[in-house]
Amino acid sequence: MEIDLSVDLGSLNLANPVLTASGTFGYAQEFSEFVNLNRLGGVVTKSITRYPRPGNPPHRIVEVSCGMLNSIGLANVGVDAFIREKMPFLRTLQCRKIVNIAGECIEDYVAVLEKLASVEEDIDAYEVNLSCPNVKEGGRTFGKDPEQVFKMTRALRQMTGKPLIVKLTPNVSDIGELGKAAEEGGADILSAVNTFVGLAVDVERRRPILGTVTGGFSGPAIKPLALAKVWELRQAVDLPIIGIGGIFRANDVLEFLLVGASAVQVGTANFVDPSISEKIVDELEQSCRRMGISRIRDLIGALETT
Amino acid sequence: MSRQKFIEEAQVVEKEQLNPTYFRIRLNAPRISRHAMAGQFINIRMTHFYDPLLPRPMSIFRRNGDEGWLEVLVRVVGRGSKALSQSEPGDRFTVLGPLGNGFSLPKKLPAVLIGGGTGIAPLVFLASELSKMDVPSMAVFGFRSQSEVCCVEEMRAFCQEVFVATDDGSYGFRGLIPDFFARIAEEKGIDEATLYVCGPVPMMSRIADFSRGKGYDVFLSVEAHMACGFGACVGCAVPRADGKGFVLACVDGPVFNAKEIRLGD
Ligand SMILES: Cc1cc2nc3c(=O)[nH]c(=O)nc-3n(C[C@H](O)[C@H](O)[C@H](O)COP(=O)(O)OP(=O)(O)OC[C@H]3O[C@@H](n4cnc5c(N)ncnc54)[C@H](O)[C@@H]3O)c2cc1C
Ligand SMILES: Cc1cc2nc3c(=O)[nH]c(=O)nc-3n(C[C@H](O)[C@H](O)[C@H](O)COP(=O)(O)O)c2cc1C
Ligand code: FES
């Protein structure tokens, strides 16, 4: 049986639903010796900012039960160096290339997008990271405020015709409201979730382990939380959703598809096994064959709750 | 410099408990072994379940490229190292390596290898390589007490001189490595040397301080909390000495010129 793994997220079509999550896959080249990148649905870059960012002081990483906390602080080379040093490699890829952008205020995001316009023919979509805990506007994390999410999405929508993916934070009581705000602002796709806020303590030293006290919680431990957020979002909006959180194997991907995601991103798993993203693609095909599913898209939103 | 990396399903072929907390584990990993350079490390995944989740970085302690094995010297501190210490011949771990930059050859002689605790691991590998190239070297090793002392005989075969100290004086010199090294340097009139230092941060800091203004090139092998081990997560940041951001322990290091970095507290 021919298995069709392709999925469509509006105008963004993917050969298969497996993307890599921002900040866990470098600029893709780091993984080129472990993964045939062209077998993935696509790659998502680390968050790119207007200026280079050195990131937060150590420790930036700590392991917790079945997961990890990070406080990388959006360390990246900045948009100019990204275009100069990282785009030449990305350009050579046949899979979808998604550039994740971040900033501290609307002007920052706008500035990044303006610069990326010069290489836009090699970019398939933008993902807007609205959900980094360090990103503040007027003292509030603006990714948590539906009004700000709307304004940001609208501002960026006016600048590009490329598919615009808005990445949402799960650290709110109603993720559906954020999704609606992005939808009204003109987003094409939503991705959920970014990391949950977490904290780990060194009891002997009576200190937090991370340099920034709290950090972003990711990995297998967050999968049920992330699935619930995607499910909530599915009820609230019509836009295609990219599910993210704790995906390590094909079965995890199928869970996200069933609750309503059209594609997924693999994050923390890339650190545990750098070749895992491609393995998941292989496994997905086998799973579909075993389950007698010829088109993976038929599973999207097919969760039966009654 | 070889920067090719491999993922191998490495089988434990030998395990030896050296003292209450140190274990020597020999893994069959032919490709990593063949390409490894002294000072590089491997990332060992303990389980295919999710706990412990992240692979654990361990220095390459010994290797035999022809026979296809490499060894790590593990001190049990938490769950990951405990799992390694409880492995038995026949068990398999997924291993990624060789990782990091490794030591560069000394420009100033002699090479002085200064190690504390399991920090001696990469230095044992370095000593064997230097001895193959007839580069004169000496070693200054420190342990908590006699029960931890290891590799001394082996080092004598590689180095012209080997000095050992223990914190409690139960073996060799009594006291801390930086003091011990300062005394040796003075007695022997060593005013030029390349120091290769690996051990606890306070030890490395004090040796770097002591060496400032002297005719020593000082290389430190540092540890940082890591996730990926190959430059993708940007988690293993070490502050630069000039205050301009960070370098990455896994790809820019783990070996740094002491002038490049600022060690934490
Ligand atoms: C380049 C490099 C080489 C190393 N070589 C050796 C070696 O040859 N022998 C040896 O015994 N140890 C070595 N270490 C330290 C070793 O990686 C840690 O002791 C080990 O990761 C602890 O894991 P755990 O689960 O036992 O402890 P836990 O305390 O349970 O670990 C919790 C988390 O913290 C991280 N962590 C804790 N301590 C350290 C540390 N000192 N360095 C880095 N991460 C840490 C762990 O990786 C894990 O993610 C090396 C570290 C680095 C970075
Ligand atoms: C070390 C690390 C760095 C991350 N950096 C970014 C980033 O720069 N931009 C972003 O949008 N998300 C970032 N994320 C969040 C991931 O893209 C993803 O949303 C999250 O980790 C949940 O997925 P996972 O459980 O599969 O890792 C980062 C996550 C980790 C673990
Ligand atoms: S451990 Fe991931 S970048 Fe160094």
Side-chain angles (χ1 to χ4, degrees):
Chain A
M1 183 171 68
E2 253 322 284
I3 309 287
D4 179 4
L5 291 181
S6 70
V7 291
D8 296 332
L9 292 81
S11 61
L12 181 70
N13 354 88
L14 307 176
N16 64 66
V18 180
L19 304 165
T20 60
S22 178
T24 67
F25 212 65
Y27 304 96
Q29 187 159 18
E30 292 87 338
F31 285 80
S32 57
E33 59 184 309
F34 304 117
V35 173
N36 177 354
L37 298 166
N38 291 326
R39 294 216 44 227
L40 304 179
V43 296
V44 182
T45 68
K46 201 189 283 291
S47 280
I48 309 298
T49 55
R50 186 175 188 177
Y51 304 111
R53 287 177 61 105
N56 290 328
H59 297 302
R60 291 181 176 180
I61 283 190
V62 57
E63 181 168 319
V64 295
S65 298
C66 301
M68 64 180 276
L69 305 182
N70 87 81
S71 64
I72 305 296
L74 295 182
N76 80 100
V77 297
V79 66
D80 292 327
F82 172 74
I83 292 171
R84 216 172 39 240
E85 295 161 17
K86 310 298 179 186
M87 272 312 289
F89 175 80
L90 286 170
R91 191 170 286 139
T92 64
L93 299 180
Q94 272 94 57
C95 67
R96 296 285 178 245
K97 296 158 294 260
I98 300 171
V99 177
N100 180 298
I101 66 171
E104 288 180 13
C105 56
I106 292 196
E107 297 74 53
D108 282 353
Y109 285 81
V110 166
V112 176
L113 220 54
E114 270 171 0
K115 295 222 162 149
L116 288 172
S118 66
V119 288
E120 211 171 67
E121 75 270 17
D122 294 310
I123 296 173
D124 295 294
Y126 293 112
E127 181 174 60
V128 188
N129 177 7
L130 284 185
S131 39
C132 191
N134 300 320
V135 183
K136 301 244 164 77
E137 168 108 314
R140 268 154 102 195
T141 306
F142 63 44
K144 292 187 187 173
D145 178 351
E147 179 66 27
Q148 297 284 347
V149 169
F150 169 74
K151 278 194 196 158
M152 174 73 81
T153 313
R154 197 183 47 182
L156 299 177
R157 174 73 293 161
Q158 283 159 4
M159 296 182 63
T160 181
K162 294 274 170 186
L164 203 56
I165 306 167
V166 174
K167 182 166 178 181
L168 302 175
T169 177
N171 299 303
V172 289
S173 50
D174 188 352
I175 198 171
E177 281 203 8
L178 294 183
K180 279 186 211 151
E183 189 168 42
E184 281 161 28
D188 299 296
I189 302 165
L190 302 175
S191 55
V193 293
N194 207 314
T195 50
F196 289 82
V197 176
L199 171 55
V201 178
D202 180 337
V203 171
E204 301 234 332
R205 298 173 63 219
R206 301 192 186 184
R207 294 183 60 85
I209 297 178
L210 292 180
T212 49
V213 186
T214 58
F217 183 21
S218 65
I222 73 164
K223 192 184 72 176
L225 304 172
L227 281 165
K229 293 290 179 187
V230 169
W231 173 246
E232 262 180 71
L233 204 51
R234 182 70 294 155
Q235 320 301 309
V237 297
D238 294 323
L239 294 180
I241 299 170
I242 300 172
I244 320 168
I247 294 171
F248 269 64
R249 53 201 187 106
N251 202 63
D252 302 332
V253 177
L254 298 176
E255 288 185 57
F256 275 92
L257 295 187
L258 285 170
V259 302
S262 303
V264 299
Q265 293 176 8
V266 178
T268 300
N270 294 301
F271 304 146
V272 176
D273 174 358
S275 63
I276 204 161
S277 51
E278 189 180 355
K279 284 185 192 156
I280 293 175
V281 176
D282 289 334
E283 260 189 284
L284 262 185
E285 188 165 345
Q286 291 158 22
S287 301
C288 287
R289 182 155 292 133
R290 199 182 53 242
M291 292 162 67
I293 291 154
S294 60
R295 298 194 320 171
I296 201 163
R297 70 182 69 176
D298 294 341
L299 290 178
I300 298 172
L303 190 72
E304 290 168 21
T305 51
T306 49
Chain B
M1 188 182 293
S2 162
R3 285 295 188 119
Q4 208 181 348
K5 302 181 275 289
F6 305 92
I7 301 174
E8 298 197 79
E9 291 301 318
Q11 191 168 39
V12 175
V13 283
E14 266 178 53
K15 182 187 77 172
E16 181 188 7
Q17 179 159 11
L18 302 174
N19 62 53
T21 54
Y22 288 15
F23 292 78
R24 174 182 68 87
I25 293 161
R26 181 176 293 187
L27 297 163
N28 212 344
R31 287 180 297 164
I32 299 173
S33 164
R34 207 172 312 122
H35 287 81
M37 294 184 310
Q40 289 188 299
F41 65 99
I42 55 176
N43 231 357
I44 309 180
R45 188 175 169 192
M46 303 303 153
T47 157
H48 284 259
F49 302 105
Y50 302 142
D51 200 25
L53 183 70
L54 298 170
R56 299 298 194 252
M58 291 287 160
S59 297
I60 300 170
F61 170 43
R62 299 194 184 105
R63 68 98 186 256
N64 184 324
D66 296 330
E67 294 175 14
W69 54 259
L70 56 80
E71 289 184 357
V72 288
L73 177 64
V74 179
R75 185 163 82 95
V76 176
V77 296
R79 288 172 312 148
S81 46
K82 176 129 202 190
L84 257 181
S85 76
Q86 290 171 338
S87 65
E88 293 299 337
D91 290 353
R92 283 174 190 278
F93 296 107
T94 308
V95 177
L96 170 66
L99 301 171
N101 58 354
F103 296 111
S104 49
L105 286 175
K107 293 205 179 74
K108 295 178 181 169
L109 294 175
V112 184
L113 284 50
I114 307 176
T118 49
I120 68 167
L123 301 176
V124 171
F125 187 3
L126 177 64
S128 75
E129 298 289 296
L130 292 177
S131 120
K132 276 187 210 155
M133 291 181 274
D134 290 321
V135 176
S137 66
M138 60 189 264
V140 183
F141 280 3
F143 302 93
R144 284 191 203 160
S145 70
Q146 178 169 18
S147 69
E148 278 192 6
V149 174
C150 73
C151 304
V152 175
E153 280 320 303
E154 180 178 4
M155 288 298 280
R156 287 195 210 286
F158 300 139
C159 304
Q160 275 62 42
E161 285 178 285
V162 178
F163 302 94
V164 181
T166 46
D167 296 355
D168 61 3
S170 53
Y171 185 102
F173 176 86
R174 178 201 181 107
L176 299 175
I177 282 284
D179 305 324
F180 187 36
F181 170 66
R183 210 175 92 179
I184 296 168
E186 192 187 347
E187 276 173 15
K188 308 236 161 222
I190 303 176
D191 23 70
E192 245 201 26
T194 303
L195 313 188
Y196 298 96
V197 193
C198 186
V201 170
M203 175 198 121
M204 293 200 285
S205 292
R206 282 194 56 206
I207 290 170
D209 289 343
F210 167 79
S211 304
R212 210 157 288 138
K214 298 193 173 60
Y216 301 156
D217 290 338
V218 183
F219 294 97
L220 309 176
S221 178
V222 305
E223 294 182 357
H225 283 203
M226 293 184 172
C228 68
F230 58 93
C233 70
V234 212
C236 59
V238 179
R240 290 168 53 130
D242 61 11
K244 291 185 186 147
F246 304 90
V247 285
L248 296 182
C250 71
V251 284
D252 303 321
V255 181
F256 294 100
N257 190 312
K259 290 184 191 144
E260 277 177 71
I261 55 167
R262 189 163 50 78
L263 287 176
D265 37 27

